[in-house]
Amino acid sequence: MMKRTHGCGDLRIEHDGQTAVLAGWVNTFRDQGKGLVFIDLRDRSGISQIVFDLEDCDDETVETARSLRREDVVAVRGLVRPREGKANEKLATGSIEIMGQAVEVLNRTDNPPILPDDHEAEKISEEVRLTYRYIDLRRPRMQEIMRIRHDLARITREYFDQQGFLEIETPLLIKSTPEGARDFIVPSRIYPGQWYALPQSPQIFKQILMVSGCDRYLQICKCLRDEDPRADRQAEFTQIDLELSFVDRDEVLDIMEGFMREVFNRILKEDLGDIPKMPWSEAMDRYGSDRPDLRFDLELQDISEIAGRTDFRVFTEALAKEDGVVKAIRVPGAADSFSRKITDGYAEIAKMHGAGGLPTVKYTANGFETGIAKFLGDIGDDLVSALGLEHGDAVLFAADTRELANTSLGAVRLQVARDQDLIPAGVYRALWVVDFPMFKWDEDNKRWASEHHPFTAPRADQLEILESDPGGCLSDGYDFVVNGSEAGGGSIRIHNPEVQKKVFSLLNLSDEEAKMKFGFLLDALRFGAPPHGGIAFGLDRLVMLLAGTDNIRDVIAFPKTQNGGDLMSQAPGPVDDAQLEELQLEVVEQPDT
């Protein structure tokens, strides 16, 4: 085989006159019928145009060149020269071409079921592309995404090495500690009837590493959760996992903010600008979400005092509830575009998030019109003033408990922004969401549940109300949010075993249950655990943000489908009876119901 000298995307006008050997896939083939054969040769670095002048080539080269077809794998030797005619500005190599002198076929392809063409990819079903993933990955767009993923991992290791972190692996076969999502479990051959679990995260192990004196830990690790996939989540995903000793929240946030700035600057040449810290309660009240998208306005405004002066029953009944509110969003210039069909669609979104409906009104030169206009006569001027309304605006309302009003109107806010084209492209707005509630009430089980996880510490000034007012207690947790997506989350951890015991008690976890599930961590905390905290960034989700895609399957080389299957390798699949017998397992058919 001819030895490759350059990548297909490496050659430029300064290589004029040099002999180069390229190897790759035939991207396009054109036989001009006038003694010239053109091929575009592709590898991960890009594309170069090769020209075979059949009068200058020997018979074997002519025959081979004319036999080539798309996706054949070849090596070509030729002379670099300026491209004849107009340069191709769409290609980095568009100012040159290679005059082919010899061609070697390294592998012929069968007729490919799909072609690695970015323009055609949208016409091909995702199922087909995932079945032939090895061809789909040849697409320039997919090669670009894999490069971004590599760059993110490289920058991660470089940055945290400079910050004194050690990269340490934690086990994949662990004890099942069923909290949160379901565990994937693995039977043990050596211990019949006993099971390993695959880690949902390395949480317990990284805390134990702090007890072990590691001081600063990093791992780019696989995590597995047996839960239903969705557009931005897979059962198998990758985390940038970090933990630090002898730190408080501000120190953790400073280091991690520096990391995020480094990532966006080096990969996208983007400056994240000011990164505010926003309390969870403010994020919910202003945006209806604990991961607010700050790229556009449409803030939720509390108009409860004004709404209380109407006789509109939806408002008055909401305000009569404990913690009842009326919230509103002003949508500038939307009066003309808000048809009944559109506002009914927004109402359905609000109902999906627990609201009873979505009152609306339009503000025109003639005053309030349509929707609930007839109920606003006495408060019209105050509403105009409070919301800063201008003629042509529309207003959307939510009336319920504060939690339901915020979450339902927050969901509507996002859809309105998409429909009104209010989300600017190529803009990145980040923030820290802090001061989360320590607990949330689980109505179904009538008990408190952790907002993050049971090892999250209460804020130092909240310890005194941990037991007396768990619903009002704030945690020392934090989330990093970019463009409405949670890119990472973490907390200062509980390092005092007595505080951990109190938290387990509030979570209705007995001493026996806590010891059974987390005994080795609880033991470790008794033997000199330092104050510590950390964070985990979703590597897949970060690549989605950096690559500008909303589908997590785009950023994983070999992803699972929405139903958790691998169409290429046909996983999951059956195993033979001998394997089951060795594990002392038997597949039992479910009876018909």
Side-chain angles (χ1 to χ4, degrees):
M1 184 183 83
M2 290 185 282
K3 185 174 178 59
R4 181 170 62 173
T5 61
H6 297 81
C8 293
D10 294 344
L11 295 170
R12 300 292 186 271
I13 195 66
E14 55 265 28
H15 296 100
D16 180 21
Q18 295 183 19
T19 297
V21 177
L22 306 182
W25 288 262
V26 176
N27 194 61
T28 59
F29 169 89
R30 306 183 301 283
D31 188 339
Q32 299 290 70
K34 298 178 181 179
L36 295 176
V37 172
F38 292 83
I39 68 168
D40 284 345
L41 196 62
R42 183 195 72 244
D43 65 10
R44 80 174 192 196
S45 66
I47 293 176
S48 280
Q49 176 173 279
I50 317 292
V51 184
F52 292 96
D53 186 334
L54 303 186
E55 292 185 1
D56 295 337
C57 298
D58 59 47
D59 291 344
E60 182 181 356
T61 300
V62 170
E63 182 180 354
T64 303
R66 280 187 160 157
S67 73
L68 297 177
R69 293 297 179 264
R70 293 190 67 173
E71 299 311 302
D72 284 342
V73 185
V74 302
V76 174
R77 183 178 69 247
L79 193 67
V80 182
R81 74 175 190 184
R83 184 183 291 236
E84 290 192 350
K86 188 177 181 181
N88 185 346
E89 296 181 357
K90 295 180 180 179
L91 295 178
T93 60
S95 62
I96 60 95
E97 59 190 10
I98 295 97
M99 292 303 297
Q101 298 168 332
V103 58
E104 179 182 354
V105 177
L106 304 176
N107 208 338
R108 297 279 187 186
T109 181
D110 289 343
N111 188 32
I114 63 173
L115 290 170
D117 188 321
D118 285 333
H119 300 295
E120 297 296 319
E122 292 182 1
K123 302 176 185 177
I124 304 170
S125 72
E126 186 179 51
E127 288 76 14
V128 172
R129 289 192 289 108
L130 291 180
T131 301
Y132 300 100
R133 187 62 161 179
Y134 39 83
I135 299 177
D136 188 51
L137 283 172
R138 295 177 194 169
R139 285 193 290 125
R141 172 63 172 156
M142 296 305 299
Q143 292 288 318
E144 176 193 15
I145 290 173
M146 292 302 107
R147 167 60 66 178
I148 290 173
R149 191 179 180 103
H150 163 80
D151 286 343
L152 175 58
R154 175 175 54 82
I155 291 166
T156 297
R157 289 188 166 98
E158 290 172 357
Y159 177 85
F160 287 110
D161 178 66
Q162 292 169 3
Q163 297 290 329
F165 284 71
L166 299 180
E167 186 167 3
I168 302 176
E169 295 177 343
T170 54
L172 286 177
L173 296 174
I174 65 173
K175 180 180 179 180
S176 180
T177 56
E179 290 289 326
R182 289 183 296 271
D183 284 332
F184 283 103
I185 57 175
V186 180
S188 169
R189 177 183 58 82
I190 299 173
Y191 300 98
Q194 302 295 307
W195 302 79
Y196 297 105
L198 301 178
Q200 296 186 31
S201 81
Q203 181 63 46
I204 293 177
F205 287 97
K206 68 178 182 179
Q207 288 193 244
I208 287 178
L209 282 171
M210 297 303 101
V211 181
S212 306
C214 168
D215 198 80
R216 294 190 173 193
Y217 144 92
L218 157 71
Q219 186 179 189
I220 299 177
C221 56
K222 284 288 186 183
C223 302
L224 301 107
R225 295 177 184 172
D226 187 6
E227 58 187 0
D228 296 333
R230 63 187 190 193
D232 65 346
R233 177 181 293 169
Q234 290 253 300
E236 179 182 358
F237 59 99
T238 306
Q239 228 171 244
I240 299 172
D241 204 47
L242 301 141
E243 199 78 8
L244 309 80
S245 292
F246 305 110
V247 291
D248 58 17
R249 185 181 77 182
D250 288 343
E251 186 174 356
V252 175
L253 267 52
D254 285 347
I255 292 172
M256 302 309 160
E257 187 173 307
F259 169 54
M260 283 289 95
R261 291 186 186 281
E262 184 89 349
V263 165
F264 278 83
N265 181 264
R266 290 178 62 179
I267 294 179
L268 296 182
K269 304 296 186 288
E270 289 285 341
D271 182 355
L272 288 178
D274 180 50
I275 302 179
K277 296 181 181 70
M278 184 179 295
W280 173 87
S281 58
E282 181 182 342
M284 295 302 299
D285 272 337
R286 291 175 60 188
Y287 302 101
S289 172
D290 59 4
R291 50 182 191 278
D293 192 334
L294 304 186
R295 289 174 294 173
F296 58 95
D297 293 327
L298 299 187
E299 289 193 25
L300 284 59
Q301 300 188 56
D302 191 331
I303 59 161
S304 300
E305 190 277 327
I306 297 172
R309 292 189 264 116
T310 73
D311 58 0
F312 182 38
R313 193 175 67 180
V314 172
F315 287 176
T316 57
E317 288 182 354
L319 292 171
K321 296 179 180 180
E322 182 179 356
D323 201 28
V325 296
V326 178
K327 305 291 283 281
I329 289 178
R330 171 202 172 214
V331 187
D336 289 340
S337 62
F338 270 21
S339 65
R340 177 65 181 270
K341 180 180 179 181
I342 288 175
T343 55
D344 283 351
Y346 294 151
E348 288 303 311
I349 293 173
K351 290 175 183 177
M352 287 171 55
H353 288 80
L358 188 76
T360 63
V361 75
K362 298 177 180 180
Y363 182 60
T364 72
N366 298 320
F368 288 106
E369 296 180 356
T370 70
I372 64 169
K374 64 182 180 180
F375 297 104
L376 304 180
D378 294 336
I379 64 168
D381 290 343
D382 289 341
L383 195 60
V384 170
S385 178
L387 297 178
L389 296 180
E390 298 179 2
H391 296 154
D393 291 348
V395 184
L396 306 174
F397 300 90
D400 213 305
T401 62
R402 184 174 298 276
E403 180 180 0
L404 278 178
N406 285 339
T407 54
S408 61
L409 202 53
V412 171
R413 170 183 182 264
L414 292 175
Q415 189 58 52
V416 170
R418 297 185 194 105
D419 293 347
Q420 294 288 308
D421 199 23
L422 299 177
I423 305 176
V427 172
Y428 297 90
R429 293 290 306 278
L431 76 155
W432 288 102
V433 178
V434 298
D435 297 342
F436 284 83
M438 184 79 178
F439 306 100
K440 55 187 174 184
W441 181 249
D442 182 344
E443 185 61 34
D444 292 337
N445 295 303
K446 305 298 181 184
R447 67 179 182 89
W448 293 107
S450 297
E451 181 69 34
H452 273 79
H453 55 63
F455 315 113
T456 297
R459 238 174 46 185
D461 62 350
Q462 301 283 297
L463 269 171
E464 59 187 29
I465 65 168
L466 176 62
E467 294 178 287
S468 62
D469 183 16
C473 184
L474 300 179
S475 81
D476 227 349
Y478 34 82
D479 283 353
F480 189 79
V481 177
V482 184
N483 291 1
S485 179
E486 180 193 327
S491 68
I492 298 301
R493 321 301 187 189
I494 298 169
H495 69 282
N496 184 314
E498 291 304 312
V499 175
Q500 187 67 76
K501 184 176 180 180
K502 291 177 182 178
V503 169
F504 282 151
S505 177
L506 286 164
L507 297 175
N508 203 27
L509 205 62
S510 68
D511 290 347
E512 293 75 18
E513 289 176 303
K515 185 168 183 60
M516 180 183 70
K517 294 179 178 180
F518 310 112
F520 60 107
L521 173 62
L522 298 178
D523 286 344
L525 294 181
R526 292 170 45 233
F527 295 104
H532 59 283
I535 194 169
F537 292 99
L539 185 141
D540 309 300
R541 201 169 291 178
L542 274 173
V543 178
M544 288 172 64
L545 284 164
L546 295 165
T549 178
D550 58 5
N551 188 340
I552 197 170
R553 292 183 291 280
D554 288 344
V555 304
I556 298 172
F558 302 106
K560 305 295 189 292
T561 65
Q562 194 76 10
N563 295 321
D566 183 337
L567 296 177
M568 186 188 73
S569 70
Q570 298 297 301
V575 296
D576 61 43
D577 291 340
Q579 289 175 282
L580 293 175
E581 185 177 345
E582 193 172 36
L583 294 167
Q584 299 187 34
L585 297 175
E586 182 181 1
V587 176
V588 179
E589 292 188 11
Q590 291 286 349
D592 294 334
T593 56

